[in-house]
Amino acid sequence: MWTIFKKEVNTFFSSLIGYIAIAVFLVILGLFVFVFADSSILENKFATLAPLFDTAPLVFLFLIPAVTMRMFAEEQQTGTIEFLATKPVRDLDIILGKYFAALALVLFSILPTVLYYYTVYQLGSPQGNLDAGAILGSYLGLFLLAAIFAAIGVFASSLSSNQILAFLLATFLCFLFYYGFYYFSKLPVFVGRFDDLIQKLGIDYHYNSISRGIVDTRDVVYFFSVSTLFLALTLFSLERRKW
């Protein structure tokens, strides 16, 4: 698993694509936090990183599928998945090696945003006038969100040898699980009856909850459960090839 992890990380950073993806992620967040008038903290005169955590999920919808789309699709396209299958390594080890590599790459993208925190900290009046608990909770929520999106991306990549198709499928599933249940809950058939329950099935409900700085075990269990579900589906997808 460690060997696969290192291979995936090295592959990502061996070309300009990896650096460009991270740079685009940081630039987009920077624009929303400091430049665009509707969300800029410089315009709103309020020391907060809320624009960062409001925008990051939308960027993750495209960034994480772009990171994961090649992980199994490329292996299937080149035939190296058969080579891996003949090695004394379990399918679960292969999946976890690629999954943790995807998470590590997302962490590399998130870490530079600490500079945004430092900037807002310095701009506060008085200096350091920030809700550190809420920000810490938001970072935890962002990591847990990345964990689900990465699991979805790895699963989508295992279904096809076409990287573009894997990207589109992962983006669709991430969008569905993040925004879809909220919109489903607004259908007339659910309003006033099951709308709250439907919303709780979606990622955004739990992400917004944990982003307020309240770390509820129910939210954490939700993130780990959905991530585990998609990793289990990935394992099923790989084992299906052996039938």
Side-chain angles (χ1 to χ4, degrees), residues 34-100:
F34 297 109
V35 179
F36 295 153
D38 291 340
S39 59
S40 172
I41 61 170
L42 302 179
E43 295 290 337
N44 295 329
K45 309 299 182 182
F46 188 72
T48 177
L49 280 179
L52 186 154
F53 298 112
D54 291 341
T55 307
L58 182 60
V59 182
F60 273 0
L61 280 175
F62 301 96
L63 174 68
I64 296 180
V67 169
T68 59
M69 67 180 183
R70 50 160 295 279
M71 288 190 163
F72 280 108
E74 188 178 64
E75 301 275 13
Q76 296 181 59
Q77 189 175 39
T78 59
T80 52
I81 189 67
E82 308 298 339
F83 175 76
L84 277 177
T86 61
K87 293 295 181 180
V89 57
R90 298 178 302 170
D91 286 345
L92 182 60
D93 292 330
I94 298 173
I95 293 169
L96 291 180
K98 292 178 178 290
Y99 174 68
F100 287 132

Side-chain angles (χ1 to χ4, degrees), residues 104-119:
L105 295 172
V106 175
L107 274 179
F108 287 141
S109 301
I110 295 175
L111 282 177
T113 63
V114 174
L115 292 174
Y116 300 164
Y117 172 81
Y118 177 76
T119 301

Side-chain angles (χ1 to χ4, degrees), residues 7-22:
K7 169 186 171 293
E8 293 295 336
V9 173
N10 289 334
T11 300
F12 186 78
F13 286 111
S14 63
S15 67
L16 284 176
I17 296 177
Y19 299 98
I20 292 173
I22 292 176

Side-chain angles (χ1 to χ4, degrees), residues 198-212:
I198 298 296
Q199 287 185 32
K200 289 180 179 179
L201 295 175
I203 299 173
D204 66 326
Y205 178 91
H206 299 275
Y207 176 74
N208 292 332
S209 174
I210 206 169
S211 291
R212 291 193 291 266

